[in-house]
């Protein structure tokens, strides 16, 4: 294909995207979209106004290393990382979370993750795209945290992949769904201590041969649903860096308030 043909193709694709977007906008005016958490029509990005108002979105300033919200803006000379990230950095370089993991967001995430309600995926992709805009911009590859094949069979889909795919497509980034595999069928992270979570996923992930060729020397944005202690992101990041990735960042839908202080 020559340059002129390529230009025409990009022009047609751009026109197609514009028309599809205009069509969706017109349809929303005629038939307002239904809220994901209700049968009511909504204009609040897929949630009823009440549900939207209860989500605690994480706004700057946040810790560059783990995405935790700072209590106040310390100004131009403030540290960009919390004390825990300065003392003991994660293997992933930076992290962002769209919102706080609490009573308001937990139900939505669990319905998506365990309730087979995949309509939440585009909504969560938009949330992450906004919260982690700088990480998306810097990424060469967007890669979801994988599920073990047994868990994938029972759940039928990987929630992280359902978010990572539209995020990569919208940002025009390389999407690599099979770059990492979960080699051991670990037990659920729920209910484990910070040390227990770390041991549960230690050496649980491996880079595939196809992934190894496509990540070498590149910056990876890892996508997951929730950051609790950071153990899963840490294990994935170490496997990717050992396989030649230049750096790894992490973006999630939600994070607990004090990930490194959690003792549940």
């Amino acid at each position: 294909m020559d340059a002129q043909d390529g230009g025409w193709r990009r022009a047609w694709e751009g026109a197609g995207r514009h028309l599809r977007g205009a069509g969706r906008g017109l349809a929303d005016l005629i038939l307002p979209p239904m809220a994901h958490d209700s049968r009511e029509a909504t204009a609040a990005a897929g949630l009823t106004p009440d549900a939207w108002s209860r989500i605690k979105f994480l706004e700057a300033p946040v810790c560059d290393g783990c995405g935790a919200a700072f209590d106040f803006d310390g100004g131009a000379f403030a540290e960009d990382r919390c004390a825990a990230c300065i003392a003991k950095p994660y293997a992933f370089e930076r992290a962002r979370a769209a919102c706080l993991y609490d009573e308001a967001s937990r139900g939505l995430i669990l319905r998506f993750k365990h309730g087979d309600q995949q309509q939440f995926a585009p909504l969560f992709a938009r949330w992450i795209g906004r919260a982690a805009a700088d990480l998306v911009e810097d990424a060469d590859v967007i890669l979801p945290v994988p599920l073990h094949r047994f868990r994938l069979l029972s759940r039928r889909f990987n929630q992280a992949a359902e978010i990572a795919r539209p995020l990569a497509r919208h940002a025009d980034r390389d999407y690599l769904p099979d770059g990492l595999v979960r080699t051991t069928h670990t037990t659920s992270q729920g209910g484990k201590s910070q040390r227990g979570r770390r041991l549960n996923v230690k050496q649980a992930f491996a880079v595939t041969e196809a992934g190894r060729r496509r990540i070498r020397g590149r910056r990876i944005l890892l996508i997951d649903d929730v950051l609790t202690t950071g153990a899963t992101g840490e294990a994935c990041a170490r496997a990717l860096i050992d396989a030649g990735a230049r750096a790894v960042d992490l973006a999630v839908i939600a994070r607990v308030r004090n990930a490194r202080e959690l003792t549940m």
Side-chain angles (χ1 to χ4, degrees), residues 63-67 81-95 194-196 198-199 202 227 229-231 234 238 259-261:
C63 171
D64 197 43
C66 68
R81 299 195 170 222
C82 67
C85 284
I86 292 173
K88 189 178 180 182
Y90 283 114
F92 48 85
E93 191 168 304
R94 299 176 295 176
Q194 182 173 344
R195 182 173 182 274
R198 189 173 63 252
L199 293 175
K202 187 178 181 181
L227 190 157
T229 64
E234 176 91 357
R238 289 192 183 282
R260 288 186 154 178
E261 299 174 15

Side-chain angles (χ1 to χ4, degrees), residues 92 96-99 109 112-113 124-125 127-128 132 142-147 155 158-165 167 180 182 189 197 201 205 221-236 249-255:
F92 48 85
R96 297 289 185 275
C99 65
I109 294 171
F112 168 55
K113 186 174 179 177
F124 291 149
W127 287 9
I128 289 178
I142 294 180
L143 186 154
V145 170
L147 291 178
R155 195 176 293 174
N158 177 359
Q159 73 279 358
E162 295 304 310
I163 299 169
R165 185 186 305 108
L167 184 65
L180 270 178
R182 192 181 289 249
Q189 293 282 70
R197 287 170 181 263
V201 295
F205 301 94
L221 178 57
L222 191 65
I223 303 298
D224 203 2
D225 49 9
V226 177
L227 190 157
T228 306
T229 64
T232 298
E234 176 91 357
C236 289
D249 296 322
L250 174 68
V252 298
I253 307 167
R255 56 159 290 131

Side-chain angles (χ1 to χ4, degrees), residues 94-117:
R94 299 176 295 176
R96 297 289 185 275
C99 65
L100 196 65
Y101 189 63
D102 59 8
E103 291 78 8
S105 64
R106 183 182 298 114
L108 300 177
I109 294 171
L110 292 180
R111 285 167 62 185
F112 168 55
K113 186 174 179 177
H114 298 297
D116 200 17
Q117 297 195 20

Side-chain angles (χ1 to χ4, degrees), residues 65-82:
C66 68
F70 288 125
D71 292 332
F72 57 90
D73 189 344
F77 298 102
E79 294 283 357
D80 62 359
R81 299 195 170 222
C82 67

Side-chain angles (χ1 to χ4, degrees), residues 123-139:
L123 177 67
F124 291 149
R126 291 196 296 272
W127 287 9
I128 289 178
R130 176 179 177 274
D134 53 342
L135 274 56
V136 174
E137 177 67 25
D138 292 343

